[in-house]
């Protein structure tokens, strides 16, 4: 995996403008749509069980986000996920708050049992609870308490157990298929002060997965470009506050180009 391989994907994404079907939470719908549009993808939000199968089969990727759960939404996600599987559309899962309540954990695990998920993105606590490991979680957010080698080891265990690509986000993100992976350092702490940046990240990963079959390559590119946009947005709005950062971040997503990773993001490969 080279910088050229990663950088080429932003060009490919903007040429193809993949349709990303988001079944996401009500808190972040607008931000997610605007972020995907800025990136160069085409967002759609569809939840009704009467249409989700039709929408999922024509999408480039399907993103399932458990932020605001209901029994009806879980059932719609199952229908959409299975339709996506049938038509070869990659499915991404964001298990928001897994571990915060039994219902969230059970719902995420049910999706993983009945839908072939191509990539899972979560924080350390969420990923740990998906594979039955105990890890403290508060609400739908979790502190960055699993660092370095520990976070990487967790990601590898989850990827092997769930047989998929796993992303564990934190101060340094980890992405792995259980055999090899990358540590991606970029972004900015201000991301943690804007609601929905993690949810948008999963949808951004969906856009890259939609245009690249190599999930590890696509996910690494998504993490890198997202981090570069955040860093550039933070630099442009230094001392201006989180509201200004949010707008600048969207601006920088729209300005991404093949040289955006250089000097803004570091990527370290590892092999198990």
């Amino acid at each position: 995996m080279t910088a050229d391989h990663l950088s080429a994907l932003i060009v490919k994404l903007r040429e193809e403008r993949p349709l990303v079907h988001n079944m996401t939470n009500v808190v972040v719908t607008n931000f997610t749509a605007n972020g995907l549009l800025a990136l160069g993808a085409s967002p759609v939000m569809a939840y009704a069980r009467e249409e989700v199968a039709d929408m999922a089969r024509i999408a480039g990727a399907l993103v399932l986000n458990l932020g605001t759960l209901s029994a009806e939404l879980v059932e719609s996600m199952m229908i959409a996920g299975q339709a996506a599987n049938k038509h070869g559309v990659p499915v991404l899962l964001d298990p928001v708050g897994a571990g915060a309540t039994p219902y969230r954990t059970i719902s995420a695990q049910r999706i993983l049992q009945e839908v072939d998920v191509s990539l899972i993105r979560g924080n350390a606590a969420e990923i740990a609870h998906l594979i039955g490991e105990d890890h403290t979680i508060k609400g739908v957010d979790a502190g960055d308490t699993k660092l370095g080698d520990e976070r990487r080891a967790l990601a590898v265990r989850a990827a092997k157990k769930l047989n998929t690509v796993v992303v564990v986000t934190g101060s340094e993100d980890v992405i792995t298929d259980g055999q090899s992976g990358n540590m991606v350092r970029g972004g900015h702490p201000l991301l943690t002060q804007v609601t929905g940046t993690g949810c948008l990240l999963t949808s951004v990963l969906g856009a890259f997965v939609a245009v690249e079959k190599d999930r590890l390559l696509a996910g690494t590119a998504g993490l890198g470009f997202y981090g570069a946009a955040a860093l550039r947005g933070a630099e442009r709005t230094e001392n201006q506050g989180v509201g200004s950062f949010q707008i600048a971040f969207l601006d920088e997503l729209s300005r991404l180009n093949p040289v955006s990773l250089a000097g803004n993001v570091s990527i370290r490969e590892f092999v198990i």
Side-chain angles (χ1 to χ4, degrees), residues 164-177:
T164 190
V165 172
V166 171
V167 175
V168 179
T169 48
S171 58
E172 185 174 36
D173 301 328
V174 185
I175 179 169
T176 180
D177 59 7

Side-chain angles (χ1 to χ4, degrees), residues 148-149 152 172-173 175 181-185 266-270:
D149 291 341
R152 181 175 67 179
E172 185 174 36
D173 301 328
I175 179 169
N182 295 295
M183 307 287 288
V184 182
R185 183 176 292 276
S266 67
I267 299 173
R268 298 186 292 118
E269 295 184 51
F270 64 85

